Amino acid sequence: MGRWEPDAQGRLARAAMELYIERGFDSTSVAEIAKRAGLTERTFFRHFADKREVLFGGSAGLQDLMVEAVRGAPKSAAPMAAVAAGLLATGPLFQDRREYARQRHAVIAANAELRERELIKLASLASALADALRGRGVNDPAASLSAEAGIAVFRVAFDRWIDISNKRDLTQLIRESLDELKAVTAAG
Amino acid sequence: MGRWEPDAQGRLARAAMELYIERGFDSTSVAEIAKRAGLTERTFFRHFADKREVLFGGSAGLQDLMVEAVRGAPKSAAPMAAVAAGLLATGPLFQDRREYARQRHAVIAANAELRERELIKLASLASALADALRGRGVNDPAASLSAEAGIAVFRVAFDRWIDISNKRDLTQLIRESLDELKAVTAAG
DNA sequence: AGGTCCGATGTCAGCTTCTGACATCAGAGT
DNA sequence: ACTCTGATGTCAGAAGCTGACATCGGACCT
């Protein structure tokens, strides 16, 4: 046995999530999170840059996944098709996590600061996607626009997937939203 | 003469902008801003919800302008065409403010918290646009997608307008970006 | 075995952002 | 004159976050 209980970061993340759900994000202090995890406030800030970051640890993985899929798309694929490949690659990642996604989504939706953080993560995603497209030889502004449009599609599809009345799977919803975007821009 | 110097809010905003430019956003404290404006810290927070909000006071006006233009678009206009009308309506508002826009943009770009705040303002804009479209009888997800795509276009066009090497006017850049989006989605 | 070093955590002191509660007082309205 | 309002000041304090330094089990070396 080590000097401390193992997985400090995991314990902090779980304690934080519990408290955010129990009493809301604003009403839980870092001191409380640390206490529940059996650690100190200072240690919390060694594992997470700030109180919000607890909820966004997974976003780097999502980004890598999308970027790899864009990179791996057929050379002949049009920019938007490559983006579509990126979006669709994330389906499996969320496959069995709909309930968790919904809880997390509820916590974030209830708080303006968290919504801000989520938006910047998505912006970072869009930026990474645009970079990946440029790596495929796509020029700006086509690269930026395709990436931004792709993220918009992802958001819309994800929100629909989260929606309680909706039982279709994420992949399908992404496809539908892509088609909708195509229809809408063609008609404008 | 009143009990206090007039235009407290304006003085605070100017003092803040000066300091943000001089020493960066992070390195200026609210106490300093208030001191330069000849007021107290507490008064700053009566005029601005937080330290960031100083830079985003105008966004409500922008939003109203866009929404009105979407509402006023011809009944026969397709969703994306109505959005385009909204975007193009903002051209005059920025006509003679390119230098200010550039300074403000530089301050925001240099700081993650400010970028977060900017993103949420744009998201609010997208949401208002989507509402306006629904008011025209456009259903979801077409309304959300058109609005999000419109904001993406606006961002891309605005960034290009800010770009020092670029002398074209905002309206023209918006038109070009709309066409690019159309091309890109049609090809995907 | 003994010694040394490392890295995760603790402790403490401090700054900054932001809020609530209450005081002050010029000017407007009566 | 009297009151009332609203913008500002004053004060105290919670909470987020950071730097500096201490602690000490375990890994690694000799």
Side-chain angles (χ1 to χ4, degrees), chain B residues 64-112:
Chain B
D64 292 347
L65 199 63
M66 278 200 194
V67 166
E68 277 318 305
V70 168
R71 283 223 181 84
K75 227 173 182 172
S76 62
M80 208 58 203
V83 168
L87 302 183
L88 292 168
T90 68
L93 197 144
F94 294 106
Q95 198 66 44
D96 298 316
R97 303 210 198 171
R98 194 165 143 182
E99 205 40 54
Y100 173 77
R102 212 197 311 281
Q103 279 193 330
R104 180 175 168 283
H105 193 263
V107 171
I108 293 173
N111 183 274

Side-chain angles (χ1 to χ4, degrees), chain A residues 121-153:
Chain A
K121 294 293 180 181
L122 288 170
S124 151
L125 205 52
S127 169
L129 246 42
D131 272 353
L133 287 174
R134 282 182 214 108
R136 294 170 57 89
V138 181
N139 289 321
D140 262 325
S144 304
L145 279 169
S146 304
E148 298 273 353
I151 294 304
V153 164

Side-chain angles (χ1 to χ4, degrees), chain B residues 73-154:
Chain B
K75 227 173 182 172
S76 62
M80 208 58 203
V83 168
L87 302 183
L88 292 168
T90 68
L93 197 144
F94 294 106
Q95 198 66 44
D96 298 316
R97 303 210 198 171
R98 194 165 143 182
E99 205 40 54
Y100 173 77
R102 212 197 311 281
Q103 279 193 330
R104 180 175 168 283
H105 193 263
V107 171
I108 293 173
N111 183 274
E113 289 178 70
L114 289 171
R115 272 178 275 139
E116 290 191 349
R117 176 58 53 87
E118 171 140 280
L119 289 172
I120 210 164
K121 293 292 181 181
L122 288 171
S124 152
L125 205 52
S127 167
L129 246 42
D131 272 354
L133 286 174
R134 282 182 214 108
R136 295 170 57 90
V138 181
N139 288 321
D140 262 324
S144 304
L145 280 169
S146 304
E148 298 274 352
I151 294 304
V153 164
F154 186 75

Side-chain angles (χ1 to χ4, degrees), chain A residues 18-41:
Chain A
E18 287 170 20
L19 286 165
Y20 293 169
I21 291 171
E22 282 173 27
R23 354 196 327 190
F25 178 81
D26 271 336
S27 311
T28 98
S29 73
V30 173
E32 289 167 332
I33 297 170
K35 188 175 179 184
R36 181 172 294 203
L39 294 162
T40 63
E41 198 179 323

Side-chain angles (χ1 to χ4, degrees), chain B residues 149-165:
Chain B
I151 294 304
V153 164
F154 186 75
R155 280 181 43 167
V156 167
F158 200 86
D159 285 359
R160 288 211 272 170
W161 181 63
I162 288 289
D163 184 352
I164 194 110
S165 67

